[in-house]
Amino acid sequence: WRDMEDLDDVVMKQARTEAINLIERRFSENLDELELVEQHYQRKLSLIDTQLTSRISGQFDSMKKAMSTIEKTSARISQLKSEFKSMSQACDNTHGQLGSFEHIRAINIANRNINTTISRIENFTRIPQKVKRLMRSLEENPNSLMVVYKEAQDLEDWRDELIEEVKGGSSRRRSSSAVNSSGYRHSPEVYNKIVTVLGDHFDIVQQLSHQTREATLANISNCFELAVDSPALLVRSVEVMMLIEESNRKKYEKMTPLEKENLPNMVGNFEAEAIAALRASFDARISNQFSNYMFNAADEGKTGIEATLGAATRGIVDMTLLKNDVKLCFPPKIDVVKLYRQQLEEYMLPQVAALYSQNIQSLDIADLLRMATWLYNYNRQVVENDAGDKAEDFDEAIGNIMTEYIKQVGQQTKNWFSNIESRNSEIKVESDGCLVTRDPEDMLNIINMQVSVAREQLPAELSYAAITSCIDELRGAQGRLRDEVKANWTQIDVERLCTVVNDSYRLQDKCEMLLEVIPEEEMEGDQEVKDLEVMKESMDNLCVGYVELAVEATRLAACSVMEDLNGPIISQVFSTKWEDGEEIITVTVRTLKDWFTDLQKWLPEYFFAKLVRECYNQVLKNYVESALVKKGKSHAFHSPARVSQQILNDRFCLEEFFAKDYADSLVASGMREDNEVSKGLDVLTWFSKIVMAPSAMDVEADIANILRLFGVQGKDVIMHLVTLRKVDKMKKGDWVMIVDQNVEELGDAVKFVQDKFNLLNFKVKGMAGAGTGGG
């Protein structure tokens, strides 16, 4: 009630406060109406007071009723608790009293056994129908294998437990003191009777287990088809195999030491059966495939090699299928790819080896290509399919086959090249005027054909050896042509030598395109990259060889041109006819000009420039050599002044021809220094001055230049010219003295020139004793 009074006071205070606030807001300006307002709110307050009193009175009555009900219920609960406690004590007393009576206890056990027996009889009765249902399910729906196996395993477990119990094993395992104390053990007669009665049930369970295992092995051995048609069934079959192995392992672990000693260990047996089934299945598949393909190939007229390799290829296809679709369905310890490879090679390897092991030389190029390619691809597929290492026999055979292939291709190419080399190829004039034959095109067609066949038929790694052999044959043909030209150039027309130059140059250009058929992005490994580098180096050497051959042929062409000039014409230099004014060099230049007019058309600019330079060198060389071989009184000068002038005239003629008419060609050949052509002809000026000089002191500079050019032989050259002037012994002694002084002054420079530099490779002949006045 105190709480109620406090609540009433609070409400009253809030009502007054609200009333005062409302009056102040609404009637702050009408205070005259305050009395009316107060009366109005007094009525409201009286009404609220009445309502509150009524509600509080109702709530108080309800609380009194609830308290009365709680008191009554508490008393009843206490009474029930006491009664339950009494009942529990009575039950405990009854249980103790019953437990002290053996007959009651035995009755209880018998009752429990009866119930168990009834339940087992019901289960026994249902076993045959259940097994038949499971067998039918396995036959009609192979995908039910896992479900059937698990139920079959439950039945097996029931059978094993029952047999143990009949043997008395259950009493040994259970800890019930009652059973142990009873000493219950079935006699052998009882055991045999029970087994006789339940034997049919045991047998049918065994049949179900056997059928389940047979279905599992059949599915595993049929892995190729199931991997395509029903991979889930293959996976379930493998899982069942693993579950069977796990069950065998657990059974073995539960065996006593005596049982382990006397009973067989079944762990791993079923897995071994599965592997044996796989091997047998693989053997049958491989044998059938080989036989069918060989018969079909015979009907189609294929060769023995084609038929055998075609049949063996089926095995490669199967190996790839196993790796991609089947291997994932098996545990890692059962590698079906390696198993298949073992069976395949056991059947296939002797048949394939027979194709190449007896007489490999009897195989033609096409068969060698086919064999090498197949063996290489087989080993590659073995590695790619994770089937183990390469077959060593095949690896060795590939090397032998490729050796024979390269040998036959090389001989074939060499024979074709020999036919080209032995014919007298027609000389043709190209649109730019160059003289060529069709030899380069024919040779490159042969090489391109061999390379194309190798690239199309052989794996990239093996094709490199074939391409390298083609390069070797080209190098051989190149060497034979070089030897032929060098040995017989004097019997070869200049026109034919020009074709050698042009054909070699074209071959060099065409050979560089051979390696373009091998894109570098196809390189798969370090060895292939190395092989390509070796080929490139070999090809570079071949191309350099053709350029060198073209340059050598150009030199020999120049020699052939000069051969017609050296003997009959240039050799007349310093002769009486020449001294009398016969225009030896003028004839030489005219002849060269006629040749150059044609040769400039027949040769590319690069090689024509080299020919011009070679002719320039040879004209100058032969001119000097011709002057130096003249000896004896019969060749003495009649008029040194006329000889000196004639030498200058020859120099002028040569300079006009080479330094002006063919200056561009000589520059293109590498003579790019200022007045290099004219400087080369300075030796004629030095000769002219020495022939005309009153004394050696007047031409000391020219003497020094000749010594620098000819080295220690320069003294013989100078004294030879002095001798041809018919100088008396006293003056000749002065010449010797001046020359010796220059030799001494030049010292090592003379030796250096001789050791390192001989510009025109001059051959100074018959000069012995010239320096002492002989000759």
Side-chain angles (χ1 to χ4, degrees):
W1 288 108
R2 184 176 299 277
D3 290 340
M4 293 298 179
E5 292 176 356
D6 292 340
L7 181 62
D8 188 28
D9 292 339
V10 171
V11 173
M12 291 295 293
K13 289 179 179 178
Q14 289 180 350
R16 290 191 185 93
T17 302
E18 183 178 353
I20 293 170
N21 290 337
L22 181 61
I23 292 170
E24 288 179 351
R25 286 197 306 270
R26 291 188 177 183
F27 306 108
S28 57
E29 296 179 357
N30 300 314
L31 297 177
D32 296 339
E33 300 177 1
L34 183 60
E35 186 177 354
L36 294 176
V37 172
E38 182 180 4
Q39 293 176 0
H40 173 73
Y41 277 99
Q42 283 291 343
R43 286 194 299 271
K44 277 188 176 186
L45 178 61
S46 176
L47 178 60
I48 290 172
D49 183 53
T50 302
Q51 291 175 349
L52 286 174
T53 303
S54 175
R55 288 182 181 180
I56 291 170
S57 176
Q59 288 180 358
F60 178 73
D61 292 339
S62 297
M63 290 177 65
K64 286 178 66 178
K65 291 180 180 180
M67 289 297 295
S68 175
T69 302
I70 289 171
E71 290 175 355
K72 292 179 181 179
T73 302
S74 178
R76 182 60 180 164
I77 288 173
S78 298
Q79 182 181 355
L80 288 174
K81 184 176 179 181
S82 176
E83 292 177 357
F84 276 123
K85 186 175 180 181
S86 299
M87 291 172 64
S88 178
Q89 290 177 351
C91 287
D92 290 341
N93 294 333
T94 303
H95 182 269
Q97 294 172 358
L98 288 175
S100 62
F101 293 95
E102 293 294 333
H103 295 292
I104 296 175
R105 184 175 181 184
I107 291 171
N108 183 46
I109 293 173
N111 180 64
R112 188 164 61 247
N113 290 342
I114 290 172
N115 291 331
T116 302
T117 302
I118 293 172
S119 175
R120 288 186 175 181
I121 290 173
E122 291 176 352
N123 289 334
F124 295 160
T125 305
R126 289 195 296 267
I127 284 175
Q129 290 76 20
K130 183 176 182 180
V131 170
K132 290 179 181 179
R133 176 178 58 79
L134 292 174
M135 287 182 173
R136 186 169 55 253
S137 174
L138 189 59
E139 291 175 357
E140 295 175 355
N141 180 20
N143 286 308
S144 65
L145 176 63
M146 179 61 76
V147 175
V148 172
Y149 166 74
K150 288 182 177 180
E151 295 202 35
Q153 188 61 46
D154 290 341
L155 289 173
E156 276 195 11
D157 293 342
W158 161 81
R159 180 197 63 192
D160 294 342
E161 289 177 2
L162 182 59
I163 291 174
E164 286 296 318
E165 184 176 350
V166 169
K167 289 179 178 179
S170 61
S171 63
R172 288 193 299 270
R173 288 176 183 167
R174 288 197 298 263
S175 60
S176 172
S177 59
V179 174
N180 287 334
S181 62
S182 67
Y184 173 77
R185 295 290 186 273
H186 292 300
S187 66
E189 292 79 8
V190 174
Y191 170 76
N192 290 332
K193 286 182 180 181
I194 295 174
V195 171
T196 301
V197 173
L198 300 178
D200 292 340
H201 294 75
F202 292 163
D203 290 343
I204 198 169
V205 171
Q206 181 66 28
Q207 292 174 16
L208 176 62
S209 298
H210 178 74
Q211 184 173 340
T212 304
R213 284 163 169 75
E214 289 297 316
T216 302
L217 293 176
N219 291 339
I220 289 175
S221 63
N222 198 31
C223 60
F224 278 103
E225 289 73 14
L226 288 183
V228 176
D229 300 332
S230 182
L233 177 57
L234 177 59
V235 171
R236 280 193 288 272
S237 300
V238 174
E239 289 174 346
V240 168
M241 178 197 71
M242 297 172 68
L243 288 174
I244 291 174
E245 278 302 317
E246 179 65 16
S247 174
N248 290 339
R249 184 187 62 79
K250 289 181 178 178
K251 288 179 181 179
Y252 183 77
E253 289 176 352
K254 290 179 180 179
M255 287 183 180
T256 64
L258 182 61
E259 289 174 329
K260 289 181 179 180
E261 182 178 347
N262 294 287
L263 297 177
N265 181 5
M266 301 299 294
V267 177
N269 283 11
F270 191 70
E271 183 180 301
E273 289 183 39
I275 293 174
L278 279 172
R279 290 186 185 276
S281 172
F282 291 161
D283 285 341
R285 182 182 180 89
I286 293 166
S287 177
N288 290 335
Q289 284 183 338
F290 255 83
S291 300
N292 294 336
Y293 192 92
M294 293 293 283
F295 284 129
N296 293 334
D299 294 339
E300 296 171 4
K302 293 183 178 180
T303 65
I305 288 180
E306 291 175 326
T308 303
L309 296 183
T313 301
R314 305 305 99 192
I316 297 178
V317 175
D318 280 352
M319 201 184 304
T320 303
L321 178 63
L322 283 169
K323 196 255 183 176
N324 293 335
D325 299 333
V326 180
K327 184 176 180 178
L328 295 177
C329 301
F330 285 81
K333 63 180 178 179
I334 302 181
D335 194 328
V336 291
V337 182
K338 290 183 178 179
L339 285 175
Y340 181 85
R341 180 198 175 180
Q342 292 171 3
Q343 305 311 117
L344 175 65
E345 290 186 358
E346 183 178 326
Y347 186 91
M348 169 269 294
L349 195 147
Q351 300 188 51
V352 173
L355 301 176
Y356 60 79
S357 58
Q358 296 180 354
N359 189 10
I360 195 172
Q361 291 79 14
S362 64
L363 298 177
D364 59 24
I365 290 178
D367 287 338
L368 290 170
L369 280 171
R370 191 175 291 110
M371 283 296 305
T373 300
W374 191 92
L375 295 176
Y376 180 90
N377 286 334
Y378 177 83
N379 272 346
R380 186 180 64 182
Q381 287 296 320
V382 165
V383 174
E384 289 182 357
N385 289 322
D386 300 327
D389 297 329
K390 298 178 181 178
E392 293 182 1
D393 292 347
F394 285 175
D395 232 12
E396 181 180 353
I398 291 170
N400 296 334
I401 291 171
M402 285 304 298
T403 299
E404 180 63 23
Y405 166 72
I406 291 171
K407 177 183 174 182
Q408 291 192 23
V409 168
Q411 187 59 50
Q412 184 183 67
T413 304
K414 186 175 182 178
N415 292 339
W416 289 342
F417 281 180
S418 296
N419 293 334
I420 294 173
E421 293 164 7
S422 61
R423 74 189 182 191
N424 188 19
S425 299
E426 178 185 359
I427 298 177
K428 300 186 299 181
V429 181
E430 290 199 317
S431 58
D432 58 358
C434 291
L435 301 181
V436 298
T437 68
R438 72 172 190 270
D439 290 358
E441 285 73 19
D442 291 346
M443 294 175 70
L444 263 297
N445 285 338
I446 292 171
I447 295 299
N448 282 326
M449 180 195 69
Q450 299 285 24
V451 171
S452 297
V453 169
R455 286 291 295 159
E456 292 173 3
Q457 301 295 326
L458 289 172
E461 182 179 341
L462 299 183
S463 69
Y464 302 149
I467 297 173
T468 302
S469 71
C470 292
I471 296 173
D472 292 339
E473 290 305 320
L474 275 174
R475 187 181 293 110
Q478 179 189 100
R480 291 191 296 272
L481 179 59
R482 181 186 294 107
D483 295 341
E484 172 69 18
V485 170
K486 282 186 176 182
N488 303 308
W489 67 270
T490 55
Q491 284 81 44
I492 301 176
D493 296 337
V494 174
E495 291 86 345
R496 181 68 64 180
L497 288 171
C498 288
T499 64
V500 174
V501 174
N502 294 327
D503 288 351
S504 298
Y505 184 61
R506 290 192 301 137
L507 275 168
Q508 175 266 334
D509 189 45
K510 293 177 182 294
C511 285
E512 290 181 343
M513 295 187 293
L514 279 177
L515 292 184
E516 293 179 4
V517 302
I518 310 175
E520 293 193 20
E521 55 268 20
E522 290 185 9
M523 302 294 100
E524 297 181 354
D526 294 340
Q527 185 58 46
E528 291 190 29
V529 173
K530 291 178 181 178
D531 291 341
L532 181 60
E533 291 301 320
V534 170
M535 278 193 295
K536 284 183 176 180
E537 183 178 356
S538 182
M539 182 61 72
D540 289 342
N541 293 335
L542 177 68
C543 293
V544 170
Y546 272 119
V547 172
E548 291 174 348
L549 176 56
V551 171
E552 179 65 12
T554 300
R555 187 187 70 80
L556 295 176
C559 291
S560 183
V561 169
M562 293 303 302
E563 188 179 29
D564 296 334
L565 295 173
N566 290 336
I569 300 176
I570 299 179
S571 64
Q572 298 302 313
V573 170
F574 277 40
S575 66
T576 303
K577 292 180 180 180
W578 172 79
E579 186 178 351
D580 291 339
E582 188 170 332
E583 297 180 343
I584 302 297
I585 296 305
T586 300
V587 173
T588 299
V589 167
R590 288 174 182 170
T591 304
L592 285 175
K593 186 162 187 172
D594 291 340
W595 273 113
F596 285 0
T597 301
D598 291 332
L599 288 165
Q600 195 165 17
K601 300 175 184 176
W602 296 346
L603 293 173
E605 181 180 352
Y606 174 80
F607 293 102
F608 175 72
K610 288 191 171 294
L611 182 137
V612 171
R613 181 170 182 175
E614 182 65 26
C615 289
Y616 164 80
N617 288 339
Q618 290 200 30
V619 166
L620 187 55
K621 171 179 174 293
N622 292 332
Y623 186 100
V624 173
E625 285 186 352
S626 179
L628 297 180
V629 297
K630 302 299 189 295
K631 59 182 180 178
K633 295 181 179 179
S634 60
H635 291 94
F637 299 145
H638 298 291
S639 173
R642 196 163 58 234
V643 170
S644 176
Q645 186 58 47
Q646 186 71 355
I647 294 173
L648 292 176
N649 291 340
D650 291 345
R651 177 208 163 105
F652 177 77
C653 184
L654 292 173
E655 189 169 6
E656 282 289 310
F657 180 70
F658 285 107
K660 292 186 178 180
D661 296 348
Y662 292 97
D664 292 341
S665 296
L666 290 173
V667 170
S669 73
M671 300 179 70
R672 296 183 178 87
E673 295 183 8
D674 294 340
N675 300 318
E676 187 173 352
V677 177
S678 297
K679 289 178 181 179
L681 297 171
D682 282 346
V683 65
L684 302 186
T685 301
W686 304 334
F687 282 11
S688 173
K689 290 183 178 181
I690 290 175
V691 169
M692 189 63 186
S695 66
M697 295 182 62
D698 295 327
V699 289
E700 280 196 73
D702 303 296
I703 290 172
N705 287 331
I706 290 176
L707 289 173
R708 290 190 185 94
L709 178 61
F710 291 96
V712 294
Q713 284 186 318
K715 179 179 178 180
D716 293 336
V717 171
I718 295 167
M719 296 314 299
H720 176 70
L721 295 175
V722 171
T723 300
L724 292 178
R725 287 177 54 184
K726 296 188 290 188
V727 176
D728 58 38
K729 290 185 178 181
M730 184 177 296
K731 289 185 177 180
K732 185 180 288 188
D734 295 338
W735 278 91
V736 171
M737 183 181 65
I738 296 299
V739 172
D740 287 342
Q741 289 177 355
N742 277 274
V743 170
E744 186 177 353
E745 290 176 1
L746 292 173
D748 291 338
V750 174
K751 294 180 182 178
F752 176 76
V753 170
Q754 183 194 30
D755 293 341
K756 186 177 179 180
F757 182 66
N758 194 348
L759 180 63
L760 298 174
N761 193 27
F762 287 136
K763 294 179 181 178
V764 183
K765 300 177 181 178
M767 301 310 299
T772 60

